[in-house]
Amino acid sequence: MKKLLLLVVSIYLASISGINAQYVIDVRSISMGNTSAASSYELSALNQNPANIVFQRSKNNAAFYFNIVTDVKLQTDSKFLSLDFYDNYFAEGENGNTRALSEADKQYIYDNAGNQTSRFYGSARLLAALYNVKKIGTFAISLDERFAGNFRVAKDLLKLALFSTDINNTYDLSGTSMNAYWTRQINLSFAKNFATKKNKTFEDLSLGVSVKPQFGLYYVETKNSNLTVSTDFFTNVTGSGNIEFLYSGLSSNNDFKYSANNAGFGFGFDLGVNAAIKNVSRKGKLSFGLSLTDLGYINWNTNTNKYYYDGNFVITDITNKAQIDSLRQRIKGTKTPVPSFTVGLPAALRVGAAYKLYTKPRTDSLQLELATFSFDFVQGLTDNLGATKKSVLGVGAEVNLGKVLSPRIGFAFGGEEDFLFSLGLGIDAGPVNIDLGTYNISSAVSMKNTSKFSAGLAIKFKID
């Protein structure tokens, strides 16, 4: 289990030096305040609203889009943990020695890190392809890697670790927890636009569906954490409670490895609709989108174990070797095989609207819009696999400066982050489209200082 803990911490530290499930989405969307239900298009709509894969940027009419390992999104969310925080208190000193913490340092860590949940999320699209078939519809496929997790350290645990033990006191360690997962998914999507020129209500009416086989690589969840430690006037130390972790992974001894194999399998489904109202404005186009994403499950069935750490102990003499050895034995914990178990995917509901503004009355579908304004409401339906049930309200805008550059801006309210200001840039270089974006502008202007890091890069290619 120690190796597993090191693995999760290593992934997190890697993420803050360079990298939540329903939040980090398409790069264009994160730079527009997490909006996508009505405003996303082609490959960017995968996992957000499958109905939108039939659409393209207004001046485009390509038959084929694809990318290969050129779509990466990374994000962290914490109230305290930043690169500066890590460097100041936990990195090696100037001579490579362990840094000595002053009393002021300890107090700062205790005040800021205790009882705070830190989250991380990352995804990489290994490959994706989209093909528009006239009179039939649009087909798309992608292979995505996704990992997410969170950890929380009880304030009393920090107090025990950083300061001298108080006499006649009880320390509640029950808030300590760690949850993380790593999955691989195949996304098979289809959408069709049913609107016709004869339709008097809808300019576009697209329906889409995605079937997503899920391959689990690693999963760890804190199932129980109710440890307490008490001291009395006679220097006796008493512990009670326990900690339990549920685990499944590619390795039976918790060693980390990258493999084409899987430790769990399941299915996910996305459903979506996009409707553009006809004759709203001669210089504008109003669309509404709705989607349900990640409806499904993963059944974990390989190396499924429960790790149990017994916290019931009594120490009457800290110099007694037998008592200390007995405590160490308990801390090692026990591993017990358990039956396979099922975990739901991070299902979410997205409802949104988008308005495209043109410089002059539209004459054809390939006319480039001047700007796009978008609005989304995102409601998590579960808190599984790093998701949250806290709703998010996002607003965003994109301005096309000619045919190549498209700066983007957005704001998101709610969720775990409360408020974020996002920024991004789209570059349309003919057969190559590049998207750069961040969900939190402080990631770009103060990378080492921010505790909410977010960055995304996507490069895709099109063939007319």
Side-chain angles (χ1 to χ4, degrees), residues 15 66 78 81 114 139 141-142 162 166 180 200 225 327 354 358 387 454:
S15 70
F66 72 95
S78 175
L81 191 53
F139 298 86
I141 182 173
S142 70
L162 296 171
D166 295 333
K200 297 181 179 180
S225 177
L327 176 59
Y358 298 83
S454 168

Side-chain angles (χ1 to χ4, degrees), residues 55-66:
F55 302 117
Q56 304 181 44
R57 193 182 182 199
S58 293
K59 74 180 185 68
N60 293 331
N61 191 27
F64 186 66
Y65 286 85
F66 72 95

